[in-house]
Amino acid sequence: MWVYEKKLQYPVRVSKCDPRMAKYLIEQYGGADGELAAALRYLNQRYTIPDKVIGLLTDIGTEEFAHLEMIATMVYKLTKDATVEQLKEAGLGDHYANHDRALFYNNAAGVPWTAAYIQAKGDPIADLYEDIAAEEKARATYQWLIDMTDDVDLQDSLKFLREREVVHSQRFREAVEILKMERDRKQIF
Amino acid sequence: MKAFTQTRVWYPFIGPFDPCPPIRVKTYSTPPQLFLGFQPPQLPQNSLPEALRQGTLWPALYSPYEPQP
């Protein structure tokens, strides 16, 4: 069960009218390394992972949904007042034909999200290594998104999200260390 | 710990017949989680406003990133 707080994890301010940036930001919404994929991956893996790291997957998976909301807010602000002509110029004509200005879970190239992006292998080490890789890929995506806008307010929110990927990666690496420890092994001499 | 940089540099091969003006130096990010290992206890903490701004409670995990041209 979840408790919802009706506020964003970190403020999202968008100062530049730039519908094209919305097209790029959608990569983190419905892309292979996006927040939706991350949240669903972690919250699903936690059922079959050793007890010691279930809480970590719950916490991080939940936070990914908070990040998803931030991305959604950015995309919405960048597109809600765009004319159809502006959307077409921004490369969002294909999107408008299918979705109007509604958000949808697809990547920057318009490919819809698929569960094939994520894995639950059942092997704790394999799953955690996938999670670490996912965090590093999301960190890289945020870097390229920061590179692609000159809106300092948008950059500020994206830098926050990038830092969270760094922290999550650290915690998953620690989870691997916890599972490698032999503390609970029966000592028989 | 503070002294080291979170960026690494490499110099790609430049061919004599490359079609575009070469980018001679390339960089990539090497943030703190690659080096920290299991986080030791009693590390310094940011103030709460600073923690929100940096996105982490721990200065040891802070990774600044500036847009690349």
Side-chain angles (χ1 to χ4, degrees), chain A residues 4 52 60 65 71 82 84-85 87 91 105-106 112 129 131 137 140 155 178 183 185:
Chain A
Y4 185 75
K52 282 177 184 168
I60 296 182
F65 277 128
I71 299 291
V84 175
E85 206 48 49
L87 290 172
Y105 294 114
N106 49 216
Y129 270 63
D131 301 346
K137 289 190 284 180
Q155 281 177 353
I178 289 172
R183 276 191 310 211
R185 198 177 65 169

Side-chain angles (χ1 to χ4, degrees), chain B residues 19-57:
Chain B
C20 303
I23 299 175
R24 298 188 177 277
V25 182
K26 300 217 176 192
T27 61
Y28 55 95
S29 190
T30 51
Q33 80 274 18
L34 305 182
F35 307 97
L36 187 59
F38 206 105
Q39 182 176 328
Q42 312 300 330
L43 284 185
Q45 298 184 358
N46 283 315
S47 69
L48 293 185
E50 191 62 10
L52 178 63
R53 209 185 63 75
Q54 290 194 351
T56 177
L57 185 59

Side-chain angles (χ1 to χ4, degrees), chain A residues 16-139:
Chain A
K16 186 186 173 192
C17 177
D18 182 10
R20 182 169 289 273
M21 195 61 203
K23 179 179 163 67
Y24 302 142
L25 285 166
I26 269 289
E27 185 68 33
Q28 272 307 80
Y29 194 65
D33 307 315
E35 302 292 355
L36 180 73
L40 297 182
R41 179 187 292 115
Y42 306 152
L43 293 176
N44 178 254
Q45 286 177 355
R46 68 197 162 126
Y47 294 97
T48 48
I49 206 126
D51 318 29
K52 282 177 184 168
V53 299
I54 292 175
L56 180 71
L57 284 171
T58 306
D59 288 354
I60 296 182
T62 302
E63 188 179 338
E64 304 296 0
F65 277 128
H67 297 170
L68 191 70
E69 276 192 318
M70 289 177 60
I71 299 291
T73 304
M74 295 173 193
V75 172
Y76 175 68
K77 285 185 178 215
L78 286 166
T79 51
K80 73 186 177 78
D81 297 315
T83 63
V84 175
E85 206 48 49
Q86 283 173 324
L87 290 172
K88 283 162 72 181
E89 281 167 21
L92 286 168
D94 309 37
H95 184 94
Y96 187 82
N98 198 2
H99 305 291
D100 186 356
R101 289 176 189 79
L103 279 71
F104 192 69
Y105 294 114
N106 49 216
N107 72 8
V111 180
W113 190 88
T114 163
Y117 288 158
I118 65 175
Q119 181 57 290
K121 210 69 207 176
D123 179 281
I125 301 301
D127 283 348
L128 284 170
Y129 270 63
E130 165 164 331
D131 301 346
I132 293 167
E135 296 293 337
E136 302 297 350
K137 289 190 284 180
R139 169 182 61 76

Side-chain angles (χ1 to χ4, degrees), chain A residues 163-178:
Chain A
E163 176 64 32
R164 297 311 300 160
E165 308 295 340
V166 169
V167 175
H168 291 171
S169 171
Q170 169 68 23
R171 299 303 171 226
F172 283 133
R173 287 161 194 268
E174 288 168 353
V176 171
E177 294 308 311
I178 289 172

